[in-house]
Amino acid sequence: MSFSRRDEILTVNSETSSLKRETKSPTFTIGVDDFLLHGKPFQIISGALHYFRVHPDLWADRIHKARLMGLNTIETYVPWNQHAPQRGVFDTTAGLDLARFLRLVSEEGMHAIIRPGPYICAEWDNGGLPAWLTADPDVRIRRFEPRYLTAVREYFEQLLPIISVAQIDRGGPVILFQIENEYGAYGADKPYLQALVAMAHDLGITVPLTTVDQPTDQMLDDGSLPELHRTASFGSRSNERLATLRRHQTTGPLMCSEFWDGWFDHWGEHHHTTPVADAALELDSMLAAGASVNIYMFHGGTNFGFSNGANDKGTYKSQVTSYDYDAPLDEAGYPTEKYHAFREVIGRYSQLPACVPASATDAPAFQTPFQITVPLTDVREKLGRWRAFEHAPTMDHTEQYRGLCVYRTTLHHSADNIARSGILRLAEIRDRALVSIDGTSVGALNRDNRERAIALPAGDILELLVEDLGRVSYGPRIGEPKGIIGPITLNGEELVHWEVLSLDLTSIDGSLFAGIPTLNSDPMGPSFSKTEFTLSASTDLFLDTSEWGKGIAWINGFNLGRYWSRGPQSTLYIPRSELRTGINELIILELHAHAQSTARFLPRPSLGNTDY
């Protein structure tokens, strides 16, 4: 990896690890009052842009638009679980090529802040912690515990070499490195934080280390160490919150490293927005006070696939596919009213680029009929294999860490050969189960409604299609197992001898339908449907899901994410890079029933009703 900047002094070649010294090394340090870039005061005006939520072909576009808004820095989390879906794997290809992302930041003339966790929250599945790690009952996460720290060390040994060569003193853009994430809201284990600091230094991190916490006395005390620079996270009452931070960070620059300019959405709720004028006023207050800021989010992006997280503060709430966040740059990468308002504010404190990004234009609007529909039951053996278990296992026990799986058992008849019926009861479901008997749907059990029992008619084969709707990303329920928790009983008697089929839904394309008889009408129960359509040029599209029930969509094999009639989101964003000139293929897995036999594409996205 090499970085080329006008003010850089070292050219780094990652293959030879050689450094070509040209002049004095650039520096980024923390002074008595300010951040110091090359020894001179520097106010960080940053925006959050998660490379893992944006198609890699669009990284350069989003970074460029950040600079045009007046930002000088890009901040990103690093999702451990996305890079390491299994232990011993560390994927840095395509949309996980962090080195390329940092190179693009550098080429735009901007700096970078890295927040690698190991826990990130980010409304991301499991807060970024790998489920293979949290599935181990002996692991105690986010604390000084040997098994956990061993796994973190393995992660850092893969990740930190990528970051270390991209630091400013080695010619790269990285100026700050965060330790953990809002740790004061979770724990107060100082040896744990010290272990993370030691790992960072041991693996080559030389830029200043920071922490972030909400500005309360307890969180700021518990979440940091004396040698780490404290920053805060908030979205309002900036002067008050900065004053609280100053009591705990008595010297050095003040920084809000998460200025919440919007919010995330849950299924079944309204689409969250924040008033533009209020957000701009808060930003102005911080910059006027000389504080540095990281706007969370500058551009939210999308929770493609099954990457969305969830919250559980008494009621489980799954987050939607869109991570638009009411950010200055919307989910499709276009400037909003908030973008222009923030740009005007930033222009009072620094020089702005002359041009601004183009406004959004309508995407192509059209519809296409579904040409093939097949029941899930006809193709599911192509997506996995059955495994036998005496008792109903968790999904984690089957090593299925995201998505859906099928549980199946045979109901034994009574002594007089009468098929059994009665009340089916699950000790707990995480997070949703579609119940069927002999292939006929009985109903759904939803975790958020605390539904655990259903009347079961007489029959032979009981099946549960179980969906993990996203792992909790914040609070004490991080790391909890998914699927069936505890026994399944019929009339109080535990059902045993289960088979489980884990469905691989990472990429679905037309080959799934090969050799399968097709139907002309919608079948009863979950089914796959396919359509093809032709484009004269690649372009962003917005898939209308408002007339469908619940399911998942793929475009040319790429998993776009979930849809659900609960709303508020009723379109799925399709990035132009996943579309092609000529024939394109759309496949959906509808878990309930189609209200329409066609797929419609709209000129603009719909994220539902808004509320402040």
Side-chain angles (χ1 to χ4, degrees):
M1 182 200 311
S2 63
F3 294 93
S4 177
R5 296 165 56 105
R6 287 176 297 177
D7 60 346
E8 279 153 1
I9 316 307
L10 300 181
T11 299
V12 184
N13 185 313
S14 62
E15 295 181 358
T16 62
S17 298
S18 62
L19 300 180
K20 181 181 178 182
R21 185 168 298 277
E22 299 174 0
T23 59
K24 185 179 179 181
S25 296
T27 60
F28 188 85
T29 58
I30 298 176
V32 175
D33 299 310
D34 302 288
F35 290 116
L36 301 174
L37 178 63
H38 311 321
K40 297 180 180 180
F42 181 75
Q43 187 175 29
I44 298 172
I45 307 177
S46 173
L49 172 59
H50 299 158
Y51 63 97
F52 47 93
R53 280 184 160 124
V54 178
H55 195 284
D57 291 354
L58 303 175
W59 287 346
D61 173 77
R62 306 317 194 235
I63 295 167
H64 179 62
K65 290 172 179 174
R67 185 177 66 80
L68 294 184
M69 197 177 83
L71 304 183
N72 56 35
T73 304
I74 295 292
E75 174 271 314
T76 186
Y77 281 125
V78 179
W80 181 7
N81 57 358
Q82 201 74 359
H83 284 279
Q86 294 91 33
R87 193 163 198 168
V89 172
F90 198 78
D91 184 4
T92 57
T93 61
L96 295 174
D97 190 349
L98 177 59
R100 175 175 173 262
F101 179 79
L102 292 175
R103 186 165 61 250
L104 291 172
V105 171
S106 179
E107 290 172 357
E108 193 62 43
M110 302 181 75
H111 303 287
I113 299 170
I114 299 293
R115 302 205 284 166
Y119 163 78
I120 63 172
C121 183
E123 292 74 60
W124 188 257
D125 186 53
N126 219 31
L129 296 174
W132 53 258
L133 175 67
T134 57
D136 185 340
D138 294 326
V139 168
R140 299 292 180 265
I141 62 171
R142 304 185 72 188
R143 66 189 69 183
F144 192 86
E145 190 275 315
R147 287 174 179 262
Y148 175 67
L149 288 175
T150 295
V152 172
R153 177 78 188 199
E154 293 172 4
Y155 164 49
F156 276 6
E157 285 176 347
Q158 295 293 322
L159 174 67
L160 268 53
I162 297 171
I163 297 172
S164 65
V165 298
Q167 295 175 109
I168 189 170
D169 57 0
R170 299 188 68 182
V174 176
I175 56 175
L176 291 176
F177 181 101
Q178 184 178 288
I179 298 295
E180 247 280 351
N181 189 58
E182 291 190 325
Y183 187 64
Y186 184 86
D189 190 334
K190 302 298 185 179
Y192 166 55
L193 295 178
Q194 290 165 347
L196 296 181
V197 171
M199 286 186 203
H201 286 154
D202 185 43
L203 294 169
I205 300 303
T206 55
V207 296
L209 306 180
T210 67
T211 56
V212 61
D213 282 288
Q214 297 173 47
T216 70
D217 292 332
Q218 179 179 350
M219 291 184 187
L220 288 167
D221 280 340
D222 290 349
S224 192
L225 299 169
E227 63 267 31
L228 301 177
H229 191 75
R230 290 176 171 88
T231 71
S233 56
F234 53 84
S236 61
R237 294 165 26 215
S238 299
N239 292 332
E240 174 188 336
R241 267 77 186 259
L242 290 175
T244 301
L245 176 61
R246 178 54 79 198
R247 293 201 306 270
H248 294 262
Q249 185 60 58
T250 56
T251 64
L254 293 175
M255 182 172 184
C256 175
S257 57
E258 279 193 26
F259 169 49
W260 304 325
D261 62 344
W263 207 244
F264 51 88
D265 295 338
H266 296 119
W267 292 113
E269 296 183 351
H270 60 265
H271 171 51
H272 292 80
T273 63
T274 56
V276 173
D278 292 355
L281 182 62
E282 295 291 348
L283 177 62
D284 191 34
S285 296
M286 283 186 283
L287 296 180
S292 289
V293 64
N294 175 56
I295 297 166
Y296 191 100
M297 300 290 297
F298 162 70
H299 172 56
T302 308
N303 296 316
F304 293 118
F306 303 115
S307 60
N308 65 280
N311 280 315
D312 193 334
K313 298 179 181 179
T315 299
Y316 174 83
K317 297 180 178 181
S318 173
Q319 278 129 20
V320 305
T321 299
S322 172
Y323 200 66
D324 176 83
Y325 211 86
D326 193 35
L329 206 66
D330 70 14
E331 184 179 7
Y334 289 104
T336 65
E337 183 184 354
K338 191 174 289 182
Y339 181 101
H340 296 292
F342 280 13
R343 189 175 191 273
E344 180 182 354
V345 169
I346 294 168
R348 300 169 194 165
Y349 303 95
S350 63
Q351 186 173 354
L352 294 174
C355 58
V356 295
S359 299
T361 57
D362 285 350
F366 61 95
Q367 63 184 32
T368 176
F370 285 109
Q371 295 131 4
I372 299 175
T373 297
V374 298
L376 170 62
T377 52
D378 286 2
V379 295
R380 61 190 183 185
E381 275 79 11
K382 292 186 174 185
L383 303 173
R385 61 182 181 86
W386 293 100
R387 296 169 60 193
F389 298 88
E390 180 67 12
H391 303 277
T394 66
M395 289 175 67
D396 296 55
H397 186 66
T398 70
E399 299 182 347
Q400 172 83 346
Y401 298 126
R402 284 179 174 174
L404 295 87
C405 64
V406 183
Y407 289 67
R408 179 173 71 185
T409 192
T410 300
L411 301 179
H412 298 291
H413 293 182
S414 60
D416 53 4
N417 204 34
I418 298 175
R420 300 175 66 189
S421 63
I423 301 300
L424 181 73
R425 185 176 299 276
L426 284 64
E428 187 175 354
I429 176 66
R430 298 181 188 157
D431 301 304
R432 193 167 192 266
L434 297 181
V435 183
S436 64
I437 189 76
D438 294 336
T440 300
S441 176
V442 174
L445 296 173
N446 292 277
R447 173 183 179 178
D448 56 354
N449 292 337
R450 296 180 172 83
E451 296 166 343
R452 299 184 181 182
I454 194 168
L456 195 69
D460 294 319
I461 306 299
L462 169 67
E463 291 190 349
L464 308 174
L465 178 59
V466 177
E467 182 177 6
D468 163 12
L469 287 171
R471 292 174 186 263
V472 171
S473 58
Y474 184 87
R477 304 198 72 152
I478 300 167
E480 64 182 10
K482 288 291 189 175
I484 303 298
I485 313 299
I488 301 175
T489 62
L490 180 60
N491 298 328
E493 180 184 346
E494 182 180 2
L495 299 176
V496 293
H497 306 305
W498 289 90
E499 293 180 292
V500 178
L501 176 68
S502 298
L503 301 175
D504 182 1
L505 302 173
T506 306
S507 178
I508 299 295
D509 59 31
S511 63
L512 179 69
F513 300 86
I516 303 296
T518 60
L519 301 178
N520 295 322
S521 59
D522 292 338
M524 298 298 293
S527 61
F528 284 98
S529 294
K530 181 176 83 76
T531 184
E532 293 181 348
F533 57 92
T534 301
L535 294 175
S536 58
S538 64
T539 180
D540 290 343
L541 293 178
F542 301 101
L543 176 64
D544 179 15
T545 64
S546 61
E547 299 298 325
W548 298 342
K550 188 181 192 308
I552 307 147
W554 294 261
I555 194 78
N556 297 326
F558 178 78
N559 191 328
L560 296 170
R562 312 176 206 256
Y563 63 85
W564 201 350
S565 58
R566 285 186 174 188
Q569 180 178 354
S570 59
T571 54
L572 286 176
Y573 167 61
I574 305 177
R576 66 182 71 100
S577 298
E578 288 300 329
L579 293 161
R580 51 198 179 218
T581 301
I583 297 175
N584 293 268
E585 180 183 74
L586 171 69
I587 294 174
I588 68 169
L589 170 58
E590 169 59 48
L591 300 177
H592 295 294
H594 300 266
Q596 289 188 336
S597 59
T598 60
R600 297 195 307 166
F601 298 88
L602 302 181
R604 291 182 179 271
S606 175
L607 297 176
N609 295 327
T610 61
D611 197 357
Y612 296 146

